[in-house]
Amino acid sequence: MASYIVKRVLRSFITLFLVVTIVFCLLRFMPVEGYFNNFDKMTPEQIERQLDARGLNDPLPTQLVRFYNDLVHMDLGESIKYRPGVPITEILAQRIPMSMLLGTISLVLALALGIPFGRLMTRYKGRIPDHIGTAFVVLIQAVPAVVYYLFIQMYGTSLAGLPLLFSRTNLATYVLPIISLAIGNIAYYAMWVRRYMIDESNKDYVKLAIAKGVNSRTLMSKQIFRNAFVPLVQYIPTSLILTLVGSIYVESIYSIPGMGGLLVKAIQMQDNTLVQALVLIYSFLSIIGLIIGDIAMTLVDPRISFGKKGGAR
Amino acid sequence: MDKDTIISVKDLHVKFTLRGAILNVIRGISLDIHQGESIAIVGESGSGKSVFTKTFLGMLDSNGYIDSGEILFRTDDSGSDESIVDLAKFTTEKEWLTIRGRQIAMVMQDPMTSLNPLRTIGKQLEETVLLHHKGMSKEDAHKRAVQLLTDVGINEPERRCKQYPHEFSGGMRQRVVIAIALACDPRVLICDEPTTALDVTIQAQILKLIHELQQKLNLTTIYITHDLGVVANVADRIAVMYAGDIIEVGDVNEIFYQPCHPYTWALLSSLPQLGIKGEDLYSIAGTPPNLQMEIKGDAFAPRNPYALKIDYLERPPFFDVSPTHKVRTWLKDPRAPQVEPPETVNRLGEGRL
């Protein structure tokens, strides 16, 4: 297993290198106008000087080597346009904790509600709780997220009287963003838990367990649920890690100083260093999430083992 | 109900609702199963063999139900009438838990999928042991699990206990399934096509194992199969099913050598062993009846070359051929014309099987 993980990590580094390099090069092909706020009023000499100063006129390989050299020294550079002169790490250090905090709470909430909902729907399959649950899942999946975000905002502030604008120190302002972030995941987990549990309960081993006299309650919780949860285990680490990406809509609705939309803004502003740093971080985290997910799978499912061939049927 | 009868089914009707229609899947079966015997239920796919035995465990699919009839079951060997329960009246899971596993156990068709893939073999056995011996210690349950694995012929049971199903071959898994079935000392063992998913050499081993265990534990075994070769080796009695009814029942020799129902003739004629080189193998013309329709008369009549007029009008009663041999066909009525079984069936008597 150890050698498998080493191989996996090395391969991930290659992926990461490719992603970052490609994005780096693509950014360099953008028109130079984007680098300046008052491009029209600048003389060609001024432009050239600026580009030279930022190293943008150097040959691509030189720029690339410089970037990786800085990276090895843990230097992500400074923002060039979003907040000129401020180190990227500082910008991230301010914003990441907020997004992660809200994201993690909402994910925990989603798991804590979505899983029991899914189990309830399975237990009452084809009856009223299942129909209500299915209606909820379909509604959430079908309606664009922005629409129910706005509904939550409207009714949350007018009926429940919760504050609209986010404030770090006022816990009441956390409620609406967390609900908004969680509601989609609640539907997601309820749907998949239900689906996998129903799949499992139609399997032969469940029939054998019934025939040998296991009562249905024990069977549901100890065997069907556990086995149904295996495929979900793989995705939980990724979803947890990716909470730091934040949510564009939710964070902008409630003015939360998080990561949501930062990448989009950085790309629009052609803030190369910021884009590079964000792409690097997001890819790195996704890859880590997948590796952890795969390792988690081997822990819960004995049929899956790393390295050995033909372990599973 | 006789003292040596363990299960007595009386005029059992099972129906299924399917997309608004009602299917008459079991149409008035009556059958006595004797304590300690080995009976095989044979019939083609869709004849209702599995559904019939599932009613003994309350394991019909959710759209199926017992419409009428009785399934009397003797819950102990005392022979007293108090020990008789009617399984057809059971409604709650609590009632069924007194039967499942500890009275009637089941071995299913496909050992590859019959075990929980995420639990060790030992755990699955111990769980079963503990289900029916409440208060037994973990160590004792483990000892019993090891003993059970030894009983079904698995080597190194201690090591095997720690393994998962995917580390076992098909035949070995079926042995484990049998061990699980026997974990609670059941009195009846239903084997639903126990060897269909196994290769031929393993088939023989598994059948031998079930047979030995049956002798040793004085089990009543019910085999469900469409393989008459399997039946010939293991069964004391055979019940032939067609379209949800038992149309002929008798000792093995009676069914093989003096079959009386035209369907049994047709079934036996289809045995590839009876084919003649160069000639096409026999197959029964037509298809089984649509179970949505009310079947009038003998269900086999439309496919039966020997059908009489009355076969289309009235359901034949059981005629006794011998004290152990009963058949549902008007051909056995004293008024019916004498019909000889086809030539192929007579070849069975020459010991071709």
Side-chain angles (χ1 to χ4, degrees):
Chain A
M1 180 152 156
S3 76
Y4 173 85
I5 293 174
V6 170
K7 252 188 251 168
R8 205 38 216 279
V9 169
L10 286 178
R11 234 183 298 157
S12 308
F13 271 109
I14 297 173
T15 315
L16 204 58
F17 172 77
L18 288 174
V19 170
V20 173
T21 307
I22 291 170
V23 170
F24 187 93
C25 297
L26 287 175
L27 282 170
R28 297 313 185 271
F29 296 129
M30 303 264 276
V32 291
E33 286 95 322
Y35 293 124
F36 307 101
N37 287 327
N38 44 358
F39 182 78
D40 293 342
K41 293 176 188 155
M42 290 168 85
T43 61
E45 290 78 41
Q46 280 174 316
I47 292 170
E48 278 309 299
R49 212 164 18 182
Q50 284 280 331
L51 289 178
D52 277 340
R54 293 184 193 175
L56 289 166
N57 275 342
D58 296 342
L60 205 50
T62 318
Q63 292 189 39
L64 202 56
V65 168
R66 194 162 54 216
F67 168 71
Y68 278 112
N69 193 32
D70 287 347
L71 194 62
V72 171
H73 298 97
M74 304 297 284
D75 182 7
L76 287 171
E78 290 170 359
S79 170
I80 53 176
K81 218 175 148 199
Y82 175 69
R83 283 168 66 187
V86 180
I88 304 282
T89 40
E90 198 183 308
I91 297 177
L92 298 184
Q94 284 166 358
R95 292 177 165 265
I96 287 180
M98 212 61 252
S99 285
M100 271 205 114
L101 178 67
L102 290 173
T104 309
I105 297 174
S106 71
L107 185 68
V108 170
L109 186 72
L111 288 169
L113 289 176
I115 293 170
F117 277 173
R119 295 178 64 161
L120 203 69
M121 286 161 75
T122 316
R123 193 184 299 141
Y124 295 99
K125 182 183 164 235
R127 286 187 273 161
I128 291 167
D130 187 26
H131 293 316
I132 295 173
T134 307
F136 168 72
V137 170
V138 170
L139 189 78
I140 294 298
Q141 302 273 348
V143 173
V146 194
V147 176
Y148 58 76
Y149 288 161
L150 290 174
F151 268 91
I152 291 170
Q153 187 205 23
M154 251 165 63
Y155 292 110
T157 48
S158 64
L159 293 183
L162 287 162
L164 172 61
L165 288 182
F166 182 77
S167 149
R168 212 177 278 256
T169 49
N170 182 358
L171 284 180
T173 63
Y174 284 61
V175 176
L176 293 180
I178 287 172
I179 293 177
S180 308
L181 287 171
I183 199 159
N185 272 334
I186 293 174
Y188 176 87
Y189 283 111
M191 179 179 78
W192 288 107
V193 165
R194 175 186 182 275
R195 183 246 148 113
Y196 286 130
M197 281 185 79
I198 287 173
D199 277 2
E200 286 298 316
S201 45
N202 287 328
K203 288 193 176 162
D204 283 348
Y205 76 83
V206 173
K207 288 184 191 136
L208 186 76
I210 294 172
K212 76 186 185 186
V214 181
N215 74 53
S216 51
R217 193 169 280 252
T218 319
L219 190 61
M220 267 290 172
S221 58
K222 290 218 176 131
Q223 303 204 28
I224 298 176
F225 173 68
R226 192 192 175 286
N227 292 12
F229 203 64
V230 169
L232 289 173
V233 162
Q234 198 174 12
Y235 300 104
I236 291 176
T238 313
S239 4
L240 190 65
I241 286 175
L242 288 184
T243 54
L244 71 74
V245 175
S247 156
I248 300 179
Y249 294 120
V250 174
E251 291 184 4
S252 69
I253 290 174
Y254 298 98
S255 324
I256 299 167
M259 294 283 284
L262 189 59
L263 181 60
V264 178
K265 257 180 253 166
I267 292 171
Q268 281 168 349
M269 291 184 162
Q270 235 168 298
D271 191 335
N272 289 357
T273 40
L274 189 53
V275 174
Q276 282 151 207
L278 289 175
V279 168
L280 179 73
I281 290 170
Y282 290 173
S283 327
F284 177 72
L285 292 175
S286 308
I287 289 169
I288 293 285
L290 286 177
I291 294 179
I292 296 175
D294 285 352
I295 293 171
M297 286 284 277
T298 65
L299 299 180
V300 292
D301 190 339
R303 284 168 300 178
I304 301 170
S305 72
F306 287 147
K308 258 187 296 173
K309 267 190 186 155
R313 182 151 63 97
Chain B
M1 191 166 164
D2 291 341
K3 288 234 182 312
D4 74 329
T5 302
I6 185 162
I7 297 176
S8 174
V9 181
K10 292 189 174 134
D11 200 27
L12 184 72
H13 288 261
V14 176
K15 295 186 174 178
F16 279 72
T17 50
L18 190 67
R19 290 181 222 107
I22 289 183
L23 302 183
N24 304 295
V25 176
I26 302 294
R27 304 177 305 114
I29 288 187
S30 296
L31 179 70
D32 282 350
I33 296 170
H34 309 303
Q35 167 70 46
E37 77 169 340
S38 162
I39 183 167
I41 299 174
V42 300
E44 61 197 295
S45 304
S47 59
K49 316 182 286 279
S50 285
V51 170
F52 177 51
T53 50
K54 276 181 184 169
T55 59
F56 300 172
L57 283 167
M59 286 183 61
L60 287 178
D61 289 336
S62 55
N63 59 337
Y65 58 95
I66 294 177
D67 190 53
S68 63
E70 289 180 331
I71 306 168
L72 301 178
F73 176 67
R74 206 179 272 285
T75 54
D76 60 37
D77 297 334
S78 68
S80 71
D81 284 352
E82 287 91 73
S83 65
I84 298 175
V85 293
D86 183 359
L87 300 179
K89 299 267 183 310
F90 277 24
T91 49
T92 63
E93 184 180 41
K94 207 173 153 212
E95 288 172 305
W96 281 115
L97 290 181
T98 63
I99 300 294
R100 291 175 185 161
R102 61 187 79 190
Q103 293 280 358
I104 304 177
M106 193 163 184
V107 172
M108 284 185 302
Q109 182 170 357
D110 189 355
M112 302 313 269
T113 55
S114 294
L115 296 166
N116 185 336
L118 304 188
R119 289 185 152 198
T120 59
I121 297 299
K123 183 119 194 270
Q124 300 192 43
L125 271 165
E126 286 158 26
E127 171 196 60
T128 322
V129 171
L130 289 172
L131 271 176
H132 302 291
H133 301 88
K134 296 253 156 65
M136 188 188 249
S137 73
K138 277 248 159 74
E139 292 76 51
D140 287 348
H142 178 70
K143 270 187 211 144
R144 174 100 173 104
V146 170
Q147 183 57 45
L148 282 163
L149 286 183
T150 317
D151 288 349
V152 296
I154 287 179
N155 291 328
E156 300 180 74
E158 281 287 352
R159 185 175 67 85
R160 294 299 233 169
C161 264
K162 295 191 196 78
Q163 292 185 327
Y164 289 93
H166 69 268
E167 296 169 84
F168 285 65
S169 68
M172 283 295 154
R173 284 192 216 185
Q174 196 63 304
R175 286 173 191 264
V176 173
V177 173
I178 292 168
I180 286 177
L182 298 178
C184 318
D185 308 309
R187 297 166 63 236
V188 178
L189 183 66
I190 300 171
C191 303
D192 189 349
E193 309 210 13
T195 58
T196 306
L198 302 173
D199 73 64
V200 184
T201 49
I202 307 298
Q203 273 185 17
Q205 291 178 15
I206 295 292
L207 290 175
K208 187 159 164 267
L209 174 69
I210 297 175
H211 191 69
E212 284 168 5
L213 291 167
Q214 184 212 354
Q215 301 288 317
K216 198 168 123 194
L217 305 170
N218 190 27
L219 276 171
T220 308
T221 45
I222 305 172
Y223 288 91
I224 301 170
T225 179
H226 51 242
D227 185 343
L228 289 164
V230 168
V231 175
N233 287 320
V234 295
D236 305 327
R237 282 205 304 153
I238 298 176
V240 182
M241 272 189 84
Y242 183 74
D245 192 13
I246 289 179
I247 48 102
E248 183 163 10
V249 55
D251 288 347
V252 174
N253 289 332
E254 290 170 330
I255 299 291
F256 274 106
Y257 302 123
Q258 293 128 36
C260 294
H261 196 287
Y263 177 64
T264 316
W265 294 345
L267 204 61
L268 293 171
S269 305
S270 322
L271 279 171
Q273 291 93 326
L274 297 182
I276 291 171
K277 215 171 186 172
E279 281 179 25
D280 284 350
L281 289 173
Y282 179 80
S283 68
I284 307 175
T287 52
N290 182 348
L291 296 176
Q292 284 183 30
M293 308 293 182
E294 194 65 45
I295 292 170
K296 229 177 155 194
D298 185 339
F300 188 58
R303 303 170 77 183
N304 180 5
Y306 310 98
L308 307 172
K309 237 182 210 160
I310 187 143
D311 275 326
Y312 293 94
L313 300 172
E314 206 170 319
R315 184 185 183 201
F318 267 128
F319 291 94
D320 287 331
V321 181
S322 78
T324 50
H325 188 184
K326 287 191 295 183
V327 62
R328 247 189 219 286
T329 171
W330 285 114
L331 287 179
K332 280 289 156 191
D333 191 275
R335 290 160 291 176
Q338 276 296 310
V339 174
E340 283 302 311
E343 176 57 22
T344 352
V345 173
N346 288 334
R347 255 183 260 145
L348 260 177
E350 298 157 18
R352 298 269 310 256
L353 192 70

